[in-house]
Amino acid sequence: MSTSLAPAIPTTTSLAVAGSWSNRSLTLPPLGNLDAYISAVNRMPLLSQEEEQYAARRLRDHNDLDAAGKLVMSHLRLVVSIARQYLGYGLPHGDLIQEGNVGLMKAVKRFDPDQGVRLVSYAIHWIKAEIHEYILKNWRMVKVATTKAQRKLFFNLRSKKQGFRAEAAEGDTHREALSDHEIDVVARDLHVKPEEVREMETRMAGGDVVLDPAPAGDGEEAFGPIAYLADGTHEPTAMIEAAQRDRLATEGIARAMGELDDRARRIVSERWLKVNDDGSGGMTLHELAAEYGVSAERIRQIEVAAMKKMRKALAAYV
């Protein structure tokens, strides 16, 4: 994901607004300079409660985009502050800020000034929600949290572990895994099962593994973990299924054919088992009927009865 911060920052922006914003002009730096961006948004003036209420009503009642811009720009420093709390997940700070800006704009769009709360209190939820969603989608190739309980556990387990390590004796600070007692404490505090805490800790401790061979240029002998994977034809389940099919096709068929009399055995063999060199099958119903001096319908009846008897015999091999 790009770190351009495009949702909240035009390439150069000059702001001049009412109230504390009047007679003030602020030009944001070019895109791509994160430090300059953070410095710029921290210099932006904050709106008073009256100014915020006025801008929010202008947006709600008149769809005033200038008012929406004032609300967004005056709270960009809040996004930077919140995004900084999630740097421990190893994702780019710029991407976290960008996702938080998306949440801020959603909050501004839905903010109701008549509810009696400041926008900052309302926007925190939306900003964190967007950042959480981004982290869960990009922290690992495979999602580590899908349910609401797992998401809550994911974003609280790290801080819980840090708290335990801060309280631990100096000689134990090297220990990474949670003890059984610590797992029980986390499970009780977050209202989840201890087994779920253990599973999430295992997921978070693991990392993504690249299975493909190493890129060209690292030497012909370089290879990735995929080289250790077994041939699919030797997978245990596939081998068992193949052995069962072979046993059914040899021992099973031979035993089932042994249950038939000579005439039924020859009819089944000609109709189902015989294959000529040209790929054609054996004799037809009419050819067998002529040989045995009966009707083709009678041959078909004998064939049906023989197949039923064979299926019973083959049941032991399925």
Side-chain angles (χ1 to χ4, degrees):
M1 183 174 291
S2 171
T3 58
S4 63
L5 310 175
I9 315 174
T11 304
T12 58
T13 303
S14 180
L15 299 176
V17 298
S20 62
W21 291 65
S22 61
N23 301 321
R24 299 194 59 169
S25 179
L26 178 60
T27 300
L28 294 179
L31 297 180
N33 191 333
L34 183 59
D35 291 337
Y37 166 73
I38 294 175
S39 177
V41 299
N42 285 334
R43 295 196 307 270
M44 288 184 179
L46 299 176
L47 294 176
S48 66
Q49 184 171 3
E50 292 75 15
E51 291 170 334
E52 181 181 290
Q53 293 278 316
Y54 175 78
R57 289 191 174 91
R58 289 289 302 174
L59 173 61
R60 182 192 64 187
D61 300 335
H62 305 285
N63 196 29
D64 188 338
L65 297 184
D66 289 336
K70 297 173 188 177
L71 294 172
V72 170
M73 301 296 269
S74 64
H75 288 80
L76 290 178
R77 68 178 69 190
L78 173 65
V79 177
V80 172
S81 176
I82 294 176
R84 190 176 291 116
Q85 302 172 16
Y86 295 92
L87 291 177
Y89 293 97
L91 297 172
H93 192 193
D95 285 0
L96 295 172
I97 293 175
Q98 178 168 275
E99 296 301 320
N101 287 342
V102 174
L104 172 62
M105 288 187 288
K106 290 182 178 180
V108 167
K109 182 179 180 180
R110 294 167 173 80
F111 180 60
D112 185 353
D114 295 331
Q115 291 297 318
V117 298
R118 295 296 300 270
L119 176 58
V120 62
S121 300
Y122 181 74
I124 287 176
H125 164 77
W126 289 93
I127 296 169
K128 287 186 175 181
E130 289 296 322
I131 294 177
H132 286 183
E133 188 68 21
Y134 168 72
I135 292 174
L136 290 175
K137 288 182 177 179
N138 295 276
W139 189 67
R140 287 284 188 268
M141 291 180 66
V142 180
K143 270 197 167 185
V144 295
T146 53
T147 66
K148 183 178 180 180
Q150 288 176 336
R151 289 169 179 253
K152 181 179 180 180
L153 181 57
F154 177 86
F155 287 105
N156 284 276
L157 185 57
R158 184 187 298 270
S159 60
K160 291 285 185 181
K161 290 183 68 173
Q162 292 174 346
F164 288 136
R165 296 301 164 262
E167 298 173 359
E170 183 176 350
D172 296 333
T173 54
H174 68 280
R175 180 168 54 87
E176 292 295 333
L178 292 174
S179 65
D180 291 340
H181 171 69
E182 291 170 340
I183 289 175
D184 291 337
V185 172
V186 173
R188 183 175 63 253
D189 291 346
L190 301 180
H191 306 291
V192 296
K193 298 178 181 179
E195 294 78 12
E196 294 177 304
V197 178
R198 291 189 180 92
E199 180 183 1
M200 183 58 67
E201 185 182 23
T202 301
R203 292 184 182 184
M204 295 180 68
D208 296 329
V209 177
V210 179
L211 295 179
D212 293 333
D218 291 342
E220 294 182 359
E221 297 182 358
F223 55 88
I226 196 171
Y228 297 102
L229 296 180
D231 186 350
T233 58
H234 294 89
E235 196 273 327
T237 302
M239 294 178 67
I240 292 174
E241 292 177 349
Q244 290 178 335
R245 288 195 300 269
D246 292 343
R247 185 164 174 257
L248 178 64
T250 55
E251 181 183 338
I253 295 297
R255 179 176 176 180
M257 293 290 283
E259 298 289 328
L260 307 177
D261 57 43
D262 293 340
R263 184 173 64 173
R265 187 182 306 116
R266 183 159 187 270
I267 291 174
V268 171
S269 178
E270 289 288 342
R271 296 280 295 150
W272 294 97
L273 303 179
K274 187 175 180 179
V275 179
N276 298 321
D277 294 338
D278 60 359
S280 61
M283 301 174 66
T284 65
L285 290 176
H286 292 283
E287 291 173 340
L288 289 169
E291 179 179 332
Y292 287 104
V294 295
S295 66
E297 175 61 22
R298 177 56 184 159
I299 296 296
R300 190 193 65 80
Q301 293 173 354
I302 295 173
E303 179 185 348
V304 171
M307 297 297 288
K308 288 182 179 179
K309 187 178 293 186
M310 290 181 67
R311 274 195 288 271
K312 291 181 180 179
L314 291 173
Y317 296 86
V318 177

